[in-house]
Amino acid sequence: MKKAIFLLLILISNLNCLKNHNELKDDRIIWESEYSGEKDALIVDFPLIAKDKVIISRDDFLSQESALVAFDKKNGKKLWEWQKEYLISASNARFKHVLRGFRQYNNVIVGIDSKYMVGIDLETGKTLWENKFDYQIDERSVLYNEKIYFMGRNTENNMINVIAIDPSSGNIENVVDIKSMYSGFTIHNQGMHIFKNNTNDICMLLGIYHVKNAFKPNEIKKYNLINYNITKKEFIFNMSFNHKIGINVFYIHENIIYANGYYFSTFDLSTGKLLNQFKEDVMTGFYTSIYDYPYVYLMYNNLTNKFVKVNMKTGKEIWRISLDGHQSYMMRKKDNRIFMIARNGKMFIVDSDSGAIIERVNAPYASKNYKLVFDENFSIDKETGYLYCSDFKHLFCYDFDR
């Protein structure tokens, strides 16, 4: 009798533990895996979904345990971890690389950390090659025709250069050097797009931001929009605009360039001439637009915090909502749903047709620990439809089609 009671107590205790655990769960979570090591860590870039893997770049703020970590995208099993130190000679301090701007081609992952660029084997996590540059490499890049295009910036001589990397070997090809027209300005890459023109020449659109002191009131700020023919090695145009234009995240359709920034704007592809602007709101940023021709979805990260759908052809606003007063920097569209993670750490799912907020999703452990809200970086797998996101400690795989 005592033994039966003892076993019953154990069963009740186990059921209670299971119940408490499931209270944190969403039945759409396929799996979760801890990735943070001894310290909480953020994911510094979008999870990279490559073949059967999902790969994250983990940064523990002080870069003591920072690493790339690869998981099986179907079950969350940890497959490998990549870490590499670099030395800052001035202080004789060592830090782990924090890689960003990932591109994958065949079995090679390419990532950058300031002046370093590394090629890593997708299957084993082993270093295949490493390049170190004398200038800063921008993390935004374009994969086109088996090459990865990066922009470098040398603040000492105000030179901008674009290079193409062979991801298999790490071999470098210089595409073009662009001397800045503004001596002493800090230079930032606002966006890059590689495309073929009407005569099948490979061309590049490049948006460049110049400023001497971004924090100084009334400081001169300029944007340049550049169209460069890579095949013929000649500039089509190099147009300069004031800072209220904003040039990034390009989309091309029927000889028109669409770009967001301070305003959502359109330009003539042949001349670079500004054609039109959507002036209802100001200040979008990287990753806060989704082109789904003939519509564009824009998240305005300013005091209005408005999310709008605009007809790209007519400039007409279709709908407008607010995410409970919160901003979002990252967006992904799947079918008729737009997924966004806002600054309050909640995930919003928005109906792309009506603008209605379908759902607000809380991070699984946020009620137990206020720090464990959703990190803003997430990705959706085109093959499975699964969404991968984190809470600074766990990597989650969601199936929102369940």
Side-chain angles (χ1 to χ4, degrees):
M1 182 66 177
K2 290 182 178 180
K3 183 177 181 181
I5 293 173
F6 178 70
L7 292 173
L8 180 61
L9 290 173
I10 291 177
L11 176 61
I12 292 171
S13 175
N14 287 338
L15 287 173
N16 284 335
C17 290
L18 183 62
K19 179 177 182 295
N20 290 336
H21 184 62
N22 285 338
E23 283 177 351
L24 298 175
K25 293 294 182 180
D26 183 325
D27 61 8
R28 296 170 297 188
I29 297 177
I30 305 301
W31 55 259
E32 66 176 60
S33 294
E34 290 196 19
Y35 67 83
S36 60
E38 295 181 8
K39 301 176 182 179
D40 290 345
L42 56 81
I43 294 177
V44 297
D45 207 337
F46 296 109
L48 175 66
I49 301 168
K51 296 186 177 180
D52 60 343
K53 299 175 181 61
V54 56
I55 300 164
I56 63 169
S57 182
R58 180 186 77 201
D59 183 19
D60 63 8
F61 307 103
L62 296 178
S63 300
Q64 294 175 342
E65 298 178 359
S66 298
L68 289 192
V69 189
F71 299 91
D72 187 305
K73 73 177 185 180
K74 297 290 180 63
N75 57 33
K77 179 183 177 182
K78 182 178 174 181
L79 301 175
W80 52 257
E81 184 171 299
W82 179 94
Q83 284 186 326
K84 188 175 178 64
E85 289 186 339
Y86 66 97
L87 175 69
I88 297 180
S89 55
S91 60
N92 202 34
R94 290 185 175 274
F95 297 92
K96 297 290 192 307
H97 276 294
V98 181
L99 297 183
R100 295 173 169 83
F102 296 106
R103 294 291 175 183
Q104 174 241 336
Y105 180 73
N106 291 336
N107 281 341
V108 182
I109 303 166
V110 179
I112 62 172
D113 181 3
S114 185
K115 297 181 178 181
Y116 294 87
M117 185 181 297
V118 184
I120 298 168
D121 188 286
L122 173 63
E123 299 303 325
T124 65
K126 303 296 184 183
T127 302
L128 298 175
W129 52 263
E130 179 178 319
N131 293 324
K132 184 179 180 182
F133 299 88
D134 295 328
Y135 48 83
Q136 197 91 4
I137 298 293
D138 192 272
E139 62 192 65
R140 288 174 288 276
S141 63
V142 178
L143 175 61
Y144 189 87
N145 277 4
E146 303 180 358
K147 296 179 182 178
I148 305 176
Y149 292 81
F150 292 89
M151 192 195 91
R153 58 184 189 271
N154 192 326
T155 55
E156 293 181 1
N157 60 12
N158 299 302
M159 181 70 76
I160 301 164
N161 64 311
V162 177
I163 57 175
I165 301 291
D166 179 341
S168 300
S169 63
N171 291 339
I172 302 167
E173 172 191 336
N174 191 61
V175 176
V176 62
D177 293 331
I178 305 168
K179 185 70 175 178
S180 172
M181 295 185 296
Y182 303 98
S183 179
F185 276 60
T186 300
I187 301 164
H188 295 283
N189 178 3
Q190 290 299 108
M192 183 191 296
H193 184 70
I194 309 294
F195 64 101
K196 279 190 176 181
N197 65 10
N198 295 333
T199 58
N200 283 326
D201 291 340
I202 298 175
C203 299
M204 174 185 67
L205 281 179
L206 187 63
I208 299 171
Y209 170 66
H210 313 254
V211 64
K212 285 190 176 181
N213 186 346
F215 302 101
K216 183 179 177 181
N218 303 318
E219 182 61 274
I220 298 173
K221 302 173 185 176
K222 292 284 186 180
Y223 287 100
N224 270 49
L225 177 60
I226 297 170
N227 187 348
Y228 181 75
N229 189 312
I230 296 174
T231 302
K232 294 182 177 178
K233 300 186 182 303
E234 63 184 25
F235 289 91
I236 307 303
F237 59 75
N238 188 344
M239 298 288 288
S240 180
F241 299 97
N242 68 45
H243 75 285
K244 289 190 176 181
I245 299 297
I247 297 170
N248 65 51
V249 193
F250 301 113
Y251 181 88
I252 297 174
H253 185 78
E254 294 181 347
N255 209 45
I256 295 177
I257 303 167
Y258 298 89
N260 68 22
Y262 196 93
Y263 293 116
F264 177 66
S265 306
T266 58
F267 304 84
D268 185 278
L269 180 61
S270 301
T271 64
K273 179 184 177 181
L274 176 66
L275 300 176
N276 203 0
Q277 292 183 300
F278 178 75
K279 290 192 172 183
E280 300 301 317
D281 300 274
V282 296
M283 205 61 69
T284 59
F286 293 112
Y287 313 122
T288 57
S289 63
I290 297 175
Y291 292 109
D292 188 22
Y293 193 86
Y295 302 107
V296 62
Y297 302 88
L298 302 166
M299 179 73 220
Y300 284 91
N301 293 304
N302 53 31
L303 296 178
T304 67
N305 299 328
K306 299 301 182 183
F307 182 40
V308 301
K309 179 180 181 179
V310 176
N311 187 305
M312 296 167 64
K313 296 170 65 175
T314 65
K316 180 182 177 182
E317 181 179 303
I318 307 302
W319 51 249
R320 165 184 298 259
I321 64 170
S322 175
L323 301 184
D324 302 337
H326 293 282
Q327 300 176 353
S328 174
Y329 287 104
M330 309 296 176
M331 303 191 301
R332 290 288 185 268
K333 187 174 184 292
K334 184 179 186 297
D335 302 324
N336 67 331
R337 292 166 295 172
I338 298 174
F339 294 82
M340 315 170 75
I341 294 181
R343 293 296 298 274
N344 64 351
K346 290 185 179 181
M347 183 187 300
F348 288 78
I349 305 176
V350 178
D351 187 293
S352 62
D353 295 325
S354 67
I357 297 176
I358 299 172
E359 187 179 359
R360 299 166 178 83
V361 183
N362 290 313
Y365 299 103
S367 61
K368 300 292 183 180
N369 184 341
Y370 71 95
K371 294 181 179 179
L372 298 182
V373 297
F374 283 127
D375 190 357
E376 63 185 12
N377 286 305
F378 70 97
S379 296
I380 297 177
D381 185 7
K382 292 180 180 179
E383 178 189 9
T384 63
Y386 292 168
L387 183 149
Y388 298 91
C389 60
S390 80
D391 66 354
F392 301 92
K393 186 175 180 66
H394 311 86
L395 182 66
F396 299 102
C397 173
Y398 277 88
D399 181 2
F400 282 104
D401 292 328
R402 280 188 166 190

PDB file of all heavy atoms in Angstrom, residues 83-87 94-97:
ATOM      1  N   GLN A  83      34.716  28.904 -33.594  1.00  0.00           N
ATOM      2  CA  GLN A  83      35.245  30.049 -32.854  1.00  0.00           C
ATOM      3  C   GLN A  83      36.660  30.333 -33.343  1.00  0.00           C
ATOM      4  O   GLN A  83      37.410  29.406 -33.662  1.00  0.00           O
ATOM      5  CB  GLN A  83      35.285  29.785 -31.346  1.00  0.00           C
ATOM      6  CG  GLN A  83      33.946  29.872 -30.646  1.00  0.00           C
ATOM      7  CD  GLN A  83      34.101  29.730 -29.138  1.00  0.00           C
ATOM      8  OE1 GLN A  83      34.963  28.997 -28.656  1.00  0.00           O
ATOM      9  NE2 GLN A  83      33.263  30.420 -28.389  1.00  0.00           N
ATOM     10  N   LYS A  84      37.009  31.605 -33.379  1.00  0.00           N
ATOM     11  CA  LYS A  84      38.364  31.972 -33.769  1.00  0.00           C
ATOM     12  C   LYS A  84      38.692  33.304 -33.115  1.00  0.00           C
ATOM     13  O   LYS A  84      37.877  34.224 -33.111  1.00  0.00           O
ATOM     14  CB  LYS A  84      38.483  32.080 -35.287  1.00  0.00           C
ATOM     15  CG  LYS A  84      39.910  32.262 -35.798  1.00  0.00           C
ATOM     16  CD  LYS A  84      39.939  32.247 -37.312  1.00  0.00           C
ATOM     17  CE  LYS A  84      41.352  32.486 -37.865  1.00  0.00           C
ATOM     18  NZ  LYS A  84      42.293  31.418 -37.485  1.00  0.00           N
ATOM     19  N   GLU A  85      39.889  33.394 -32.566  1.00  0.00           N
ATOM     20  CA  GLU A  85      40.314  34.622 -31.886  1.00  0.00           C
ATOM     21  C   GLU A  85      41.072  35.547 -32.830  1.00  0.00           C
ATOM     22  O   GLU A  85      41.651  35.100 -33.826  1.00  0.00           O
ATOM     23  CB  GLU A  85      41.221  34.290 -30.701  1.00  0.00           C
ATOM     24  CG  GLU A  85      40.507  33.654 -29.528  1.00  0.00           C
ATOM     25  CD  GLU A  85      41.442  33.493 -28.329  1.00  0.00           C
ATOM     26  OE1 GLU A  85      42.674  33.504 -28.543  1.00  0.00           O
ATOM     27  OE2 GLU A  85      40.949  33.374 -27.203  1.00  0.00           O
ATOM     28  N   TYR A  86      41.034  36.830 -32.504  1.00  0.00           N
ATOM     29  CA  TYR A  86      41.915  37.782 -33.171  1.00  0.00           C
ATOM     30  C   TYR A  86      42.541  38.666 -32.101  1.00  0.00           C
ATOM     31  O   TYR A  86      42.008  38.823 -30.993  1.00  0.00           O
ATOM     32  CB  TYR A  86      41.164  38.610 -34.218  1.00  0.00           C
ATOM     33  CG  TYR A  86      40.118  39.535 -33.663  1.00  0.00           C
ATOM     34  CD1 TYR A  86      40.388  40.873 -33.430  1.00  0.00           C
ATOM     35  CD2 TYR A  86      38.828  39.078 -33.393  1.00  0.00           C
ATOM     36  CE1 TYR A  86      39.435  41.729 -32.927  1.00  0.00           C
ATOM     37  CE2 TYR A  86      37.857  39.921 -32.900  1.00  0.00           C
ATOM     38  CZ  TYR A  86      38.166  41.252 -32.674  1.00  0.00           C
ATOM     39  OH  TYR A  86      37.205  42.094 -32.171  1.00  0.00           O
ATOM     40  N   LEU A  87      43.687  39.229 -32.421  1.00  0.00           N
ATOM     41  CA  LEU A  87      44.469  40.003 -31.464  1.00  0.00           C
ATOM     42  C   LEU A  87      44.412  41.483 -31.813  1.00  0.00           C
ATOM     43  O   LEU A  87      44.583  41.869 -32.963  1.00  0.00           O
ATOM     44  CB  LEU A  87      45.928  39.528 -31.477  1.00  0.00           C
ATOM     45  CG  LEU A  87      46.927  40.319 -30.618  1.00  0.00           C
ATOM     46  CD1 LEU A  87      46.639  40.109 -29.128  1.00  0.00           C
ATOM     47  CD2 LEU A  87      48.362  39.901 -30.948  1.00  0.00           C
ATOM     48  N   ARG A  94      42.733  39.730 -26.651  1.00  0.00           N
ATOM     49  CA  ARG A  94      42.196  38.778 -27.610  1.00  0.00           C
ATOM     50  C   ARG A  94      40.679  38.691 -27.475  1.00  0.00           C
ATOM     51  O   ARG A  94      40.149  38.686 -26.375  1.00  0.00           O
ATOM     52  CB  ARG A  94      42.812  37.389 -27.384  1.00  0.00           C
ATOM     53  CG  ARG A  94      44.278  37.323 -27.765  1.00  0.00           C
ATOM     54  CD  ARG A  94      44.818  35.912 -27.649  1.00  0.00           C
ATOM     55  NE  ARG A  94      46.188  35.843 -28.134  1.00  0.00           N
ATOM     56  CZ  ARG A  94      46.527  35.658 -29.399  1.00  0.00           C
ATOM     57  NH1 ARG A  94      45.576  35.509 -30.311  1.00  0.00           N
ATOM     58  NH2 ARG A  94      47.788  35.602 -29.767  1.00  0.00           N
ATOM     59  N   PHE A  95      40.013  38.626 -28.625  1.00  0.00           N
ATOM     60  CA  PHE A  95      38.561  38.523 -28.649  1.00  0.00           C
ATOM     61  C   PHE A  95      38.156  37.461 -29.664  1.00  0.00           C
ATOM     62  O   PHE A  95      38.883  37.172 -30.618  1.00  0.00           O
ATOM     63  CB  PHE A  95      37.913  39.863 -29.028  1.00  0.00           C
ATOM     64  CG  PHE A  95      38.190  40.963 -28.051  1.00  0.00           C
ATOM     65  CD1 PHE A  95      39.274  41.820 -28.225  1.00  0.00           C
ATOM     66  CD2 PHE A  95      37.371  41.149 -26.952  1.00  0.00           C
ATOM     67  CE1 PHE A  95      39.522  42.842 -27.330  1.00  0.00           C
ATOM     68  CE2 PHE A  95      37.612  42.162 -26.046  1.00  0.00           C
ATOM     69  CZ  PHE A  95      38.695  43.018 -26.227  1.00  0.00           C
ATOM     70  N   LYS A  96      36.969  36.907 -29.464  1.00  0.00           N
ATOM     71  CA  LYS A  96      36.419  35.972 -30.442  1.00  0.00           C
ATOM     72  C   LYS A  96      35.806  36.773 -31.590  1.00  0.00           C
ATOM     73  O   LYS A  96      35.193  37.817 -31.392  1.00  0.00           O
ATOM     74  CB  LYS A  96      35.339  35.099 -29.794  1.00  0.00           C
ATOM     75  CG  LYS A  96      35.827  34.198 -28.663  1.00  0.00           C
ATOM     76  CD  LYS A  96      36.692  33.082 -29.190  1.00  0.00           C
ATOM     77  CE  LYS A  96      36.943  32.007 -28.147  1.00  0.00           C
ATOM     78  NZ  LYS A  96      37.474  32.483 -26.879  1.00  0.00           N
ATOM     79  N   HIS A  97      35.954  36.276 -32.793  1.00  0.00           N
ATOM     80  CA  HIS A  97      35.322  36.900 -33.947  1.00  0.00           C
ATOM     81  C   HIS A  97      33.800  36.866 -33.792  1.00  0.00           C
ATOM     82  O   HIS A  97      33.220  35.871 -33.332  1.00  0.00           O
ATOM     83  CB  HIS A  97      35.690  36.166 -35.241  1.00  0.00           C
ATOM     84  CG  HIS A  97      36.998  36.603 -35.819  1.00  0.00           C
ATOM     85  ND1 HIS A  97      37.199  37.875 -36.307  1.00  0.00           N
ATOM     86  CD2 HIS A  97      38.167  35.940 -35.998  1.00  0.00           C
ATOM     87  CE1 HIS A  97      38.433  37.978 -36.771  1.00  0.00           C
ATOM     88  NE2 HIS A  97      39.048  36.822 -36.591  1.00  0.00           N
TER      89      HIS A  97
END
